[in-house]
Amino acid sequence: MTGYGSDFDDLDLDARIDVLAEKLANAKQIAFLTGAGVSTESGIPDFRSTTGIYSTTSENFFSIDYFHANYEDFYRGFAPFYRIVSDAKPNSGHLAIAELETRLGKPVDVVTQNIDGLHSAAGSTQVAEIHGTLRTASCVVCGKRYPREYFDADMRSGAVPRCACGGALKPDVTFFGELLPERAFAAAQRAMWNAKILVVVGTSLQVYPAAGLPRECDAGAPFVVINKTPTQLDSQASLVFHEAIGDVLPKAVARISNTTA
Ligand SMILES: [Zn+2]
């Protein structure tokens, strides 16, 4: 035993990928819970990792108080991050999750803490973005919501995007000090209740309320962790991968399509 409590931790990587493929193929309904680690392979920095955006900007940069204090300052600092996220493309992990849905023809819920929209871009159709999305922005005065095309040039250049009424636009992402979007969080809870297997990918789930979501799952549903570094959830998981997502998920999905072809 290597000490993280999984039922299969004495198997090598290849054998554990086989176990994952079998669990995914047999589950009637699948839920993924994903975090920054899924998108780092698309070149998007992890907000909370030591090499992420907080090491170069202040931790309160994404606080709602900082945002409202000075829109000009916020958008000047936000532009480099916005450009990286907007230009990012789905990677093999996003694509594998989307492919699972089309190949298996069964429901695959994706609950994500990421704001980059890459799961939808990859083709997943049931995505709950519990920290919101960068694809839309809303007026802080009248609440009108705008699509990316409307504010893209301003956000790229570091200018404050403005509503037709003159109010500043705020990205529809959850800032520190704000509540999570209610509808997305309710969808996330439903996904947990319905899941026959939960795969937690690229997140150490240290932030509540997202961290509490796995506990909403049926006690009998197997629970898999794919994360480069150990997480607090590892001891409760039946299968644990401390590997790069791109080295695990695409291989597992490919093995399923081979067996059903
Ligand atoms: Zn407005």
Side-chain angles (χ1 to χ4, degrees):
M1 301 292 284
T2 52
Y4 48 77
S6 131
D7 302 339
F8 303 98
D9 58 2
D10 51 343
L11 299 180
D12 68 14
L13 175 59
D14 207 48
R16 280 181 290 130
I17 289 174
D18 277 338
V19 175
L20 176 58
E22 196 188 322
K23 283 179 185 291
L24 291 173
N26 293 335
K28 283 209 176 65
Q29 182 143 358
I30 301 166
F32 283 87
L33 179 50
T34 76
V38 175
S39 292
T40 49
E41 290 171 34
S42 288
I44 297 176
D46 178 351
F47 282 48
R48 291 186 170 81
S49 84
T50 48
T51 55
I53 189 167
Y54 288 153
S55 59
T56 50
T57 62
S58 147
E59 171 106 21
N60 70 9
F61 185 79
F62 280 101
S63 80
I64 194 65
D65 291 342
Y66 179 79
F67 177 75
H68 283 302
N70 192 327
Y71 300 129
E72 282 76 18
D73 276 356
F74 173 83
Y75 275 110
R76 239 189 327 271
F78 179 63
F81 176 73
Y82 175 81
R83 289 193 298 262
I84 289 172
V85 173
S86 298
D87 293 339
K89 301 276 182 288
N91 62 54
S92 63
H94 299 108
L95 294 168
I97 293 171
E99 192 184 333
L100 200 53
E101 195 177 325
T102 48
R103 293 283 173 109
L104 292 181
K106 52 190 178 190
V108 178
D109 283 303
V110 181
V111 176
T112 187
Q113 300 170 278
N114 299 337
I115 57 173
D116 50 44
L118 292 180
H119 284 296
S120 300
S124 287
T125 62
Q126 299 175 182
V127 183
E129 296 171 307
I130 58 174
H131 290 170
T133 176
L134 267 187
R135 286 170 302 166
T136 59
S138 297
C139 175
V140 299
V141 176
C142 73
K144 184 172 183 194
R145 173 168 294 175
Y146 290 91
R148 177 180 276 171
E149 305 80 66
Y150 181 85
F151 55 75
D152 189 63
D154 282 337
M155 286 198 196
R156 276 180 189 278
S157 67
V160 179
R162 297 269 172 195
C163 176
C165 84
L169 298 189
K170 177 191 162 292
D172 287 333
V173 302
T174 310
F175 283 46
F176 291 102
E178 286 191 301
L179 296 173
L180 298 188
E182 249 172 69
R183 248 178 49 190
F185 200 75
Q189 287 178 308
R190 274 197 307 277
M192 297 297 121
W193 299 335
N194 293 334
K196 300 302 175 204
I197 180 173
L198 171 65
V199 188
V200 178
V201 190
T203 173
S204 48
L205 279 180
Q206 285 165 338
V207 183
Y208 279 85
L213 280 172
R215 265 185 263 124
E216 308 264 352
C217 286
D218 200 78
F223 166 30
V224 179
V225 173
I226 309 173
N227 197 60
K228 269 206 168 157
T229 52
T231 76
Q232 292 176 342
L233 300 165
D234 293 0
S235 60
Q236 302 146 53
S238 58
L239 189 58
V240 176
F241 295 89
H242 291 157
E243 275 88 14
I245 295 149
D247 290 336
V248 176
L249 265 182
K251 289 178 188 168
V253 172
R255 287 176 201 188
I256 294 170
S257 22
N258 288 345
T259 56
T260 55

